[in-house]
Amino acid sequence: AALAQPLRDPRPCLTRELFAARPSEMADIAAKKSEWNACLAKSKGAPSRCEKLEKELAQMSKFAGVECCIAETVGLMRCTGSSKRTGGCAEEFLAMRECNRAGGRELVKDGAGYGIAPGKAGVFNGSAGMLVASTPPARSLQGMREFGEDYAKTLGIAPGEVRF
């Protein structure tokens, strides 16, 4: 199918609006993404086995101006398939979640933390900016214990007390 001129702003991959506007082009991208996803499912956690399909999908989606979360998918697969998974792969999961939002990203990486994506301030309340700019604490047993104790206090449970 003949491809239209690229769009300026990447949009979420395969939304109803894009299908309605350019059905043939979006159907081609949907088919390629489905093929790539099937390959990834069979790859046993090695996205490099699907590199040819990945490059084809990346080229098609870039030209169409849609975001198909390719880098986020590969990043999450690499993280969960490596020793980094002991750290939780939080950044990779967050990137994947934001990339897959139907209305586009609401949070974007901003230095060590995150910020509200341009044009998305209306979906948050006034204090959200401070919250997304914060960074999560280091993942440790001590940190989890402290959180548990603080949370128990809010429930009226004294330190060391056990309730079932």
Side-chain angles (χ1 to χ4, degrees):
L3 298 175
Q5 291 298 315
L7 298 174
R8 290 187 193 129
D9 300 324
R11 297 180 183 165
C13 193
L14 314 175
T15 62
R16 279 192 186 142
E17 294 81 16
L18 288 172
F19 264 112
R22 305 180 306 195
S24 176
E25 186 177 3
M26 293 302 113
D28 291 344
I29 292 172
K32 186 61 68 178
K33 185 168 185 183
S34 180
E35 187 179 357
W36 182 58
N37 284 336
C39 179
L40 290 174
K42 295 180 209 170
S43 73
K44 298 183 180 177
S48 60
R49 292 182 179 174
C50 307
E51 195 170 309
K52 181 179 181 275
L53 291 170
E54 178 186 325
K55 287 180 180 178
E56 291 170 1
L57 178 60
Q59 181 181 12
M60 291 171 75
S61 65
K62 181 178 180 181
F63 190 80
V66 294
E67 173 62 72
C68 288
C69 305
I70 296 167
E72 292 80 1
T73 301
V74 172
L76 183 56
M77 287 184 74
R78 287 195 175 129
C79 182
T80 57
S82 72
S83 61
K84 283 180 61 180
R85 85 170 160 247
T86 59
C89 299
E91 286 191 28
E92 292 81 2
F93 274 104
L94 182 64
M96 188 70 169
R97 181 193 73 194
E98 289 303 314
C99 185
N100 278 293
R101 287 189 186 274
R105 299 172 200 266
E106 292 177 0
L107 301 175
V108 291
K109 189 83 170 139
D110 185 18
Y114 291 86
I116 297 173
K120 298 294 181 172
V123 299
F124 295 97
N125 68 23
S127 64
M130 291 184 342
L131 294 174
V132 298
S134 66
T135 57
R139 192 174 180 161
S140 68
L141 179 58
Q142 182 63 30
M144 288 188 282
R145 281 185 179 152
E146 289 172 3
F147 171 80
E149 288 172 4
D150 290 343
Y151 185 60
K153 286 178 190 174
T154 66
L155 299 173
I157 301 172
E161 183 181 355
V162 178
R163 291 190 189 172
F164 289 98

